[in-house]
CSV table of all heavy atoms in Angstrom, one decimal:
chain,number,residue,atom,x,y,z
A,34,PHE,N,-2.5,-22.7,64.2
A,34,PHE,CA,-2.0,-22.1,63.0
A,34,PHE,C,-1.6,-20.6,63.4
A,34,PHE,O,-2.3,-20.0,64.2
A,34,PHE,CB,-3.1,-22.0,61.9
A,34,PHE,CG,-3.6,-23.4,61.5
A,34,PHE,CD1,-4.6,-24.0,62.1
A,34,PHE,CD2,-3.0,-24.0,60.4
A,34,PHE,CE1,-5.1,-25.2,61.7
A,34,PHE,CE2,-3.4,-25.3,60.0
A,34,PHE,CZ,-4.5,-25.9,60.6
A,36,TYR,N,-1.0,-16.9,61.7
A,36,TYR,CA,-1.2,-16.0,60.5
A,36,TYR,C,-0.6,-14.6,60.8
A,36,TYR,O,-0.4,-14.2,61.9
A,36,TYR,CB,-2.7,-15.8,60.3
A,36,TYR,CG,-3.4,-17.1,59.9
A,36,TYR,CD1,-4.0,-17.9,60.9
A,36,TYR,CD2,-3.7,-17.4,58.6
A,36,TYR,CE1,-4.7,-19.1,60.6
A,36,TYR,CE2,-4.4,-18.5,58.2
A,36,TYR,CZ,-4.9,-19.3,59.2
A,36,TYR,OH,-5.6,-20.5,58.9
A,38,GLN,N,-1.1,-10.6,59.3
A,38,GLN,CA,-2.0,-9.7,58.5
A,38,GLN,C,-1.4,-8.3,58.4
A,38,GLN,O,-1.1,-7.7,59.4
A,38,GLN,CB,-3.4,-9.7,59.2
A,38,GLN,CG,-4.4,-8.9,58.4
A,38,GLN,CD,-5.7,-8.8,59.1
A,38,GLN,OE1,-5.8,-9.0,60.3
A,38,GLN,NE2,-6.8,-8.6,58.3
A,41,LYS,N,-5.0,-3.7,55.6
A,41,LYS,CA,-5.9,-3.8,54.4
A,41,LYS,C,-5.5,-5.0,53.5
A,41,LYS,O,-5.8,-5.0,52.3
A,41,LYS,CB,-5.8,-2.5,53.6
A,41,LYS,CG,-6.3,-1.3,54.4
A,41,LYS,CD,-6.3,0.0,53.6
A,41,LYS,CE,-6.8,1.1,54.4
A,41,LYS,NZ,-6.8,2.4,53.6
A,42,GLN,N,-4.9,-6.0,54.1
A,42,GLN,CA,-4.6,-7.2,53.3
A,42,GLN,C,-5.1,-8.4,54.1
A,42,GLN,O,-5.6,-8.3,55.2
A,42,GLN,CB,-3.1,-7.3,53.1
A,42,GLN,CG,-2.5,-6.2,52.3
A,42,GLN,CD,-1.0,-6.5,51.9
A,42,GLN,OE1,-0.6,-7.6,51.8
A,42,GLN,NE2,-0.3,-5.4,51.7
A,43,SER,N,-5.1,-9.5,53.4
A,43,SER,CA,-5.7,-10.7,53.9
A,43,SER,C,-4.7,-11.4,54.9
A,43,SER,O,-3.6,-11.0,55.1
A,43,SER,CB,-6.0,-11.7,52.8
A,43,SER,OG,-4.8,-12.2,52.2
A,44,LEU,N,-5.2,-12.3,55.7
A,44,LEU,CA,-4.4,-13.1,56.6
A,44,LEU,C,-3.5,-14.1,55.7
A,44,LEU,O,-4.1,-14.8,54.9
A,44,LEU,CB,-5.3,-13.9,57.5
A,44,LEU,CG,-5.9,-13.2,58.7
A,44,LEU,CD1,-7.1,-12.4,58.3
A,44,LEU,CD2,-6.4,-14.3,59.7
A,46,LEU,N,-1.1,-17.3,56.0
A,46,LEU,CA,-0.6,-18.4,56.9
A,46,LEU,C,0.9,-18.4,56.9
A,46,LEU,O,1.5,-18.5,55.9
A,46,LEU,CB,-1.2,-19.7,56.4
A,46,LEU,CG,-0.8,-21.0,57.2
A,46,LEU,CD1,-1.4,-20.9,58.6
A,46,LEU,CD2,-1.3,-22.2,56.5
A,49,THR,N,2.1,-24.0,60.5
A,49,THR,CA,1.2,-24.9,61.2
A,49,THR,C,2.0,-25.6,62.3
A,49,THR,O,3.1,-26.1,62.1
A,49,THR,CB,0.7,-26.0,60.2
A,49,THR,OG1,0.0,-25.4,59.1
A,49,THR,CG2,-0.3,-26.9,61.0
A,57,THR,N,5.5,-26.7,60.8
A,57,THR,CA,5.6,-26.7,59.3
A,57,THR,C,5.4,-25.3,58.8
A,57,THR,O,4.3,-24.7,59.0
A,57,THR,CB,4.6,-27.6,58.7
A,57,THR,OG1,4.7,-28.9,59.2
A,57,THR,CG2,4.8,-27.6,57.2
A,59,GLU,N,5.2,-22.2,56.0
A,59,GLU,CA,4.9,-21.9,54.6
A,59,GLU,C,6.1,-21.4,53.8
A,59,GLU,O,7.0,-20.8,54.4
A,59,GLU,CB,3.7,-20.9,54.5
A,59,GLU,CG,2.4,-21.5,55.2
A,59,GLU,CD,1.9,-22.7,54.5
A,59,GLU,OE1,1.7,-22.6,53.2
A,59,GLU,OE2,1.7,-23.7,55.2
A,91,PHE,N,0.2,-7.6,62.4
A,91,PHE,CA,-0.8,-8.1,63.2
A,91,PHE,C,-0.7,-9.6,63.1
A,91,PHE,O,-0.8,-10.2,62.0
A,91,PHE,CB,-2.2,-7.6,62.8
A,91,PHE,CG,-3.3,-7.8,63.8
A,91,PHE,CD1,-3.2,-7.3,65.1
A,91,PHE,CD2,-4.4,-8.5,63.4
A,91,PHE,CE1,-4.2,-7.4,66.0
A,91,PHE,CE2,-5.5,-8.7,64.4
A,91,PHE,CZ,-5.4,-8.1,65.6
A,93,ILE,N,-2.0,-13.4,64.2
A,93,ILE,CA,-3.2,-14.1,64.6
A,93,ILE,C,-3.0,-15.6,64.7
A,93,ILE,O,-2.4,-16.1,63.8
A,93,ILE,CB,-4.4,-13.8,63.7
A,93,ILE,CG1,-4.7,-12.3,63.6
A,93,ILE,CG2,-5.7,-14.6,64.1
A,93,ILE,CD1,-5.7,-11.9,62.6
A,97,ARG,N,-7.2,-25.8,66.4
A,97,ARG,CA,-8.2,-26.8,66.1
A,97,ARG,C,-8.2,-27.9,67.2
A,97,ARG,O,-7.2,-28.3,67.7
A,97,ARG,CB,-7.8,-27.4,64.7
A,97,ARG,CG,-8.9,-28.1,64.0
A,97,ARG,CD,-8.6,-28.4,62.6
A,97,ARG,NE,-7.5,-29.4,62.5
A,97,ARG,CZ,-7.0,-29.7,61.3
A,97,ARG,NH1,-7.3,-29.1,60.2
A,97,ARG,NH2,-6.0,-30.7,61.3
A,102,GLY,N,-10.9,-32.6,62.2
A,102,GLY,CA,-12.0,-32.1,61.4
A,102,GLY,C,-11.7,-31.0,60.5
A,102,GLY,O,-10.5,-30.5,60.4
A,103,PRO,N,-12.6,-30.6,59.7
A,103,PRO,CA,-12.4,-29.6,58.7
A,103,PRO,C,-12.2,-28.2,59.3
A,103,PRO,O,-12.2,-28.0,60.5
A,103,PRO,CB,-13.7,-29.6,57.8
A,103,PRO,CG,-14.7,-30.0,58.8
A,103,PRO,CD,-14.0,-31.0,59.7
A,104,SER,N,-12.0,-27.2,58.4
A,104,SER,CA,-11.6,-25.9,58.9
A,104,SER,C,-12.7,-25.2,59.7
A,104,SER,O,-12.5,-24.2,60.4
A,104,SER,CB,-11.2,-25.0,57.7
A,104,SER,OG,-10.0,-25.4,57.3
A,105,ASP,N,-14.0,-25.7,59.7
A,105,ASP,CA,-15.0,-25.0,60.5
A,105,ASP,C,-14.8,-25.3,62.0
A,105,ASP,O,-15.6,-24.8,62.8
A,105,ASP,CB,-16.4,-25.3,60.0
A,105,ASP,CG,-16.7,-26.8,60.0
A,105,ASP,OD1,-15.7,-27.6,60.2
A,105,ASP,OD2,-17.8,-27.1,59.7
A,107,GLN,N,-11.9,-24.6,63.4
A,107,GLN,CA,-10.8,-23.8,63.8
A,107,GLN,C,-11.4,-22.6,64.6
A,107,GLN,O,-12.4,-22.0,64.2
A,107,GLN,CB,-10.1,-23.2,62.6
A,107,GLN,CG,-9.0,-24.1,62.1
A,107,GLN,CD,-8.1,-23.4,61.1
A,107,GLN,OE1,-7.6,-22.3,61.4
A,107,GLN,NE2,-7.9,-24.0,59.9
A,109,PHE,N,-10.3,-18.8,66.4
A,109,PHE,CA,-9.3,-17.8,66.2
A,109,PHE,C,-9.1,-17.0,67.5
A,109,PHE,O,-10.1,-16.6,68.1
A,109,PHE,CB,-9.6,-16.9,65.0
A,109,PHE,CG,-9.4,-17.5,63.7
A,109,PHE,CD1,-10.4,-18.4,63.2
A,109,PHE,CD2,-8.3,-17.3,63.0
A,109,PHE,CE1,-10.2,-19.0,61.9
A,109,PHE,CE2,-8.1,-17.9,61.7
A,109,PHE,CZ,-9.0,-18.7,61.2
A,110,GLY,N,-7.9,-16.6,67.7
A,110,GLY,CA,-7.6,-15.6,68.7
A,110,GLY,C,-7.8,-14.2,68.2
A,110,GLY,O,-8.0,-14.0,67.0
A,111,PRO,N,-7.8,-13.2,69.1
A,111,PRO,CA,-8.1,-11.8,68.8
A,111,PRO,C,-6.9,-11.1,68.1
A,111,PRO,O,-7.1,-10.0,67.6
A,111,PRO,CB,-8.4,-11.2,70.1
A,111,PRO,CG,-7.7,-12.0,71.1
A,111,PRO,CD,-7.7,-13.4,70.6
B,34,PHE,N,-15.9,-20.5,52.9
B,34,PHE,CA,-16.3,-20.0,54.2
B,34,PHE,C,-16.4,-18.5,54.2
B,34,PHE,O,-15.8,-17.8,53.5
B,34,PHE,CB,-15.2,-20.3,55.3
B,34,PHE,CG,-14.9,-21.8,55.4
B,34,PHE,CD1,-13.9,-22.3,54.6
B,34,PHE,CD2,-15.5,-22.6,56.3
B,34,PHE,CE1,-13.6,-23.7,54.7
B,34,PHE,CE2,-15.2,-23.9,56.4
B,34,PHE,CZ,-14.2,-24.5,55.6
B,36,TYR,N,-16.1,-15.6,57.3
B,36,TYR,CA,-15.7,-15.4,58.7
B,36,TYR,C,-16.1,-13.9,59.0
B,36,TYR,O,-16.0,-13.0,58.1
B,36,TYR,CB,-14.3,-15.6,59.0
B,36,TYR,CG,-13.9,-17.1,59.2
B,36,TYR,CD1,-13.6,-17.9,58.1
B,36,TYR,CD2,-13.8,-17.6,60.5
B,36,TYR,CE1,-13.2,-19.2,58.3
B,36,TYR,CE2,-13.5,-19.0,60.6
B,36,TYR,CZ,-13.2,-19.7,59.5
B,36,TYR,OH,-12.9,-21.1,59.7
B,38,GLN,N,-15.3,-10.7,61.9
B,38,GLN,CA,-14.5,-10.3,63.0
B,38,GLN,C,-15.0,-9.0,63.6
B,38,GLN,O,-15.0,-7.9,62.9
B,38,GLN,CB,-13.0,-10.0,62.5
B,38,GLN,CG,-12.1,-9.7,63.7
B,38,GLN,CD,-10.6,-9.6,63.2
B,38,GLN,OE1,-10.4,-9.2,62.1
B,38,GLN,NE2,-9.7,-9.9,64.1
B,41,GLY,N,-12.1,-6.0,68.3
B,41,GLY,CA,-11.5,-6.6,69.5
B,41,GLY,C,-11.6,-8.1,69.7
B,41,GLY,O,-11.2,-8.6,70.8
B,42,GLU,N,-12.3,-8.7,68.8
B,42,GLU,CA,-12.5,-10.2,68.9
B,42,GLU,C,-11.8,-10.9,67.8
B,42,GLU,O,-11.4,-10.4,66.8
B,42,GLU,CB,-14.0,-10.5,68.9
B,42,GLU,CG,-14.8,-9.8,70.0
B,42,GLU,CD,-16.2,-10.2,70.0
B,42,GLU,OE1,-16.6,-11.2,69.3
B,42,GLU,OE2,-17.0,-9.5,70.7
B,43,GLY,N,-11.7,-12.3,68.0
B,43,GLY,CA,-11.1,-13.1,67.0
B,43,GLY,C,-12.1,-13.4,65.9
B,43,GLY,O,-13.3,-13.1,66.0
B,44,LEU,N,-11.6,-13.9,64.7
B,44,LEU,CA,-12.5,-14.3,63.6
B,44,LEU,C,-13.5,-15.4,64.1
B,44,LEU,O,-13.1,-16.3,64.8
B,44,LEU,CB,-11.7,-14.8,62.5
B,44,LEU,CG,-11.1,-13.8,61.5
B,44,LEU,CD1,-10.0,-13.1,62.1
B,44,LEU,CD2,-10.7,-14.5,60.2
B,45,GLN,N,-14.7,-15.3,63.7
B,45,GLN,CA,-15.7,-16.3,64.0
B,45,GLN,C,-16.3,-16.8,62.7
B,45,GLN,O,-16.6,-16.0,61.7
B,45,GLN,CB,-16.9,-15.7,64.8
B,45,GLN,CG,-16.5,-15.1,66.1
B,45,GLN,CD,-17.6,-14.4,66.8
B,45,GLN,OE1,-18.8,-14.7,66.5
B,45,GLN,NE2,-17.3,-13.4,67.6
B,46,LEU,N,-16.5,-18.1,62.6
B,46,LEU,CA,-17.1,-18.7,61.4
B,46,LEU,C,-18.6,-18.2,61.3
B,46,LEU,O,-19.4,-18.3,62.3
B,46,LEU,CB,-17.1,-20.2,61.5
B,46,LEU,CG,-17.8,-20.9,60.3
B,46,LEU,CD1,-17.0,-20.6,59.0
B,46,LEU,CD2,-17.8,-22.4,60.6
B,49,LYS,N,-20.7,-21.6,55.9
B,49,LYS,CA,-19.8,-22.4,55.1
B,49,LYS,C,-20.6,-23.1,54.0
B,49,LYS,O,-21.9,-23.3,54.2
B,49,LYS,CB,-19.0,-23.4,55.9
B,49,LYS,CG,-19.8,-24.5,56.5
B,49,LYS,CD,-19.0,-25.6,57.1
B,49,LYS,CE,-19.9,-26.7,57.6
B,49,LYS,NZ,-19.1,-27.9,58.0
B,89,PHE,N,-14.5,-11.7,56.1
B,89,PHE,CA,-13.5,-12.4,55.3
B,89,PHE,C,-14.1,-13.6,54.6
B,89,PHE,O,-14.7,-14.5,55.3
B,89,PHE,CB,-12.4,-12.9,56.2
B,89,PHE,CG,-11.5,-11.8,56.9
B,89,PHE,CD1,-11.9,-11.3,58.1
B,89,PHE,CD2,-10.4,-11.3,56.3
B,89,PHE,CE1,-11.1,-10.3,58.7
B,89,PHE,CE2,-9.6,-10.4,56.9
B,89,PHE,CZ,-10.0,-9.9,58.1
B,93,GLU,N,-10.8,-23.6,51.9
B,93,GLU,CA,-9.9,-24.7,52.3
B,93,GLU,C,-9.8,-25.5,51.0
B,93,GLU,O,-10.8,-26.1,50.6
B,93,GLU,CB,-10.5,-25.5,53.4
B,93,GLU,CG,-9.7,-26.7,53.9
B,93,GLU,CD,-10.4,-27.5,54.8
B,93,GLU,OE1,-11.6,-27.7,54.7
B,93,GLU,OE2,-9.8,-28.0,55.8
B,96,SER,N,-5.1,-28.7,50.8
B,96,SER,CA,-4.3,-28.9,52.1
B,96,SER,C,-5.3,-28.8,53.3
B,96,SER,O,-5.8,-27.7,53.7
B,96,SER,CB,-3.3,-27.8,52.2
B,96,SER,OG,-2.3,-27.9,51.2
B,97,TYR,N,-5.7,-30.0,53.8
B,97,TYR,CA,-6.7,-30.1,54.8
B,97,TYR,C,-6.4,-29.2,56.0
B,97,TYR,O,-5.4,-29.3,56.6
B,97,TYR,CB,-6.8,-31.5,55.2
B,97,TYR,CG,-8.0,-31.9,56.1
B,97,TYR,CD1,-9.3,-31.7,55.6
B,97,TYR,CD2,-7.9,-32.3,57.3
B,97,TYR,CE1,-10.4,-32.1,56.3
B,97,TYR,CE2,-8.9,-32.7,58.1
B,97,TYR,CZ,-10.2,-32.5,57.6
B,97,TYR,OH,-11.3,-32.9,58.4
B,98,GLY,N,-7.4,-28.4,56.4
B,98,GLY,CA,-7.2,-27.5,57.6
B,98,GLY,C,-6.6,-26.2,57.3
B,98,GLY,O,-6.6,-25.3,58.1
B,99,LYS,N,-6.0,-26.0,56.1
B,99,LYS,CA,-5.3,-24.7,55.8
B,99,LYS,C,-6.3,-23.8,55.1
B,99,LYS,O,-6.9,-24.2,54.1
B,99,LYS,CB,-4.1,-24.9,55.0
B,99,LYS,CG,-3.0,-25.7,55.7
B,99,LYS,CD,-1.7,-25.7,54.8
B,99,LYS,CE,-0.6,-26.4,55.6
B,99,LYS,NZ,0.7,-26.5,54.8
B,100,LEU,N,-6.4,-22.6,55.6
B,100,LEU,CA,-7.3,-21.6,55.0
B,100,LEU,C,-6.6,-20.6,54.2
B,100,LEU,O,-5.6,-20.1,54.6
B,100,LEU,CB,-8.1,-20.9,56.1
B,100,LEU,CG,-9.1,-21.8,56.8
B,100,LEU,CD1,-9.6,-21.1,58.1
B,100,LEU,CD2,-10.3,-22.2,55.9
B,101,THR,N,-7.2,-20.2,53.0
B,101,THR,CA,-6.7,-19.1,52.2
B,101,THR,C,-7.8,-18.0,52.3
B,101,THR,O,-8.9,-18.2,52.0
B,101,THR,CB,-6.5,-19.5,50.8
B,101,THR,OG1,-5.5,-20.5,50.7
B,101,THR,CG2,-6.0,-18.3,50.0
B,102,PHE,N,-7.4,-16.8,52.7
B,102,PHE,CA,-8.3,-15.7,53.0
B,102,PHE,C,-8.3,-14.6,51.9
B,102,PHE,O,-7.3,-14.4,51.3
B,102,PHE,CB,-8.0,-15.0,54.3
B,102,PHE,CG,-8.3,-15.8,55.6
B,102,PHE,CD1,-7.4,-16.7,56.1
B,102,PHE,CD2,-9.6,-15.7,56.2
B,102,PHE,CE1,-7.8,-17.5,57.2
B,102,PHE,CE2,-9.9,-16.4,57.3
B,102,PHE,CZ,-9.0,-17.3,57.8
B,103,GLY,N,-9.4,-14.0,51.8
B,103,GLY,CA,-9.5,-12.8,51.0
B,103,GLY,C,-9.0,-11.6,51.9
B,103,GLY,O,-8.7,-11.8,53.1
B,104,GLN,N,-9.0,-10.4,51.4
B,104,GLN,CA,-8.4,-9.3,52.1
B,104,GLN,C,-9.3,-8.7,53.2
B,104,GLN,O,-8.9,-7.8,54.0
B,104,GLN,CB,-7.9,-8.2,51.2
B,104,GLN,CG,-9.0,-7.4,50.5
B,104,GLN,CD,-9.4,-8.0,49.2
B,104,GLN,OE1,-9.5,-9.2,49.0
B,104,GLN,NE2,-9.7,-7.2,48.2
B,105,GLY,N,-10.5,-9.1,53.2
B,105,GLY,CA,-11.5,-8.6,54.2
B,105,GLY,C,-12.2,-7.4,53.7
B,105,GLY,O,-11.6,-6.6,53.0
Side-chain angles (χ1 to χ4, degrees):
Chain A
F34 301 90
Y36 295 86
Q38 184 180 26
K41 299 183 180 180
Q42 295 189 29
S43 65
L44 283 72
L46 181 64
T49 302
T57 303
E59 296 299 303
F91 196 57
I93 299 173
R97 200 165 70 186
S104 287
D105 56 355
Q107 275 191 52
F109 286 81
Chain B
F34 306 84
Y36 282 84
Q38 184 176 31
E42 300 183 16
L44 275 73
Q45 302 173 24
L46 178 65
K49 69 169 183 174
F89 292 89
E93 179 188 38
S96 297
Y97 191 64
K99 292 186 178 180
L100 292 169
T101 300
F102 285 89
Q104 71 268 40

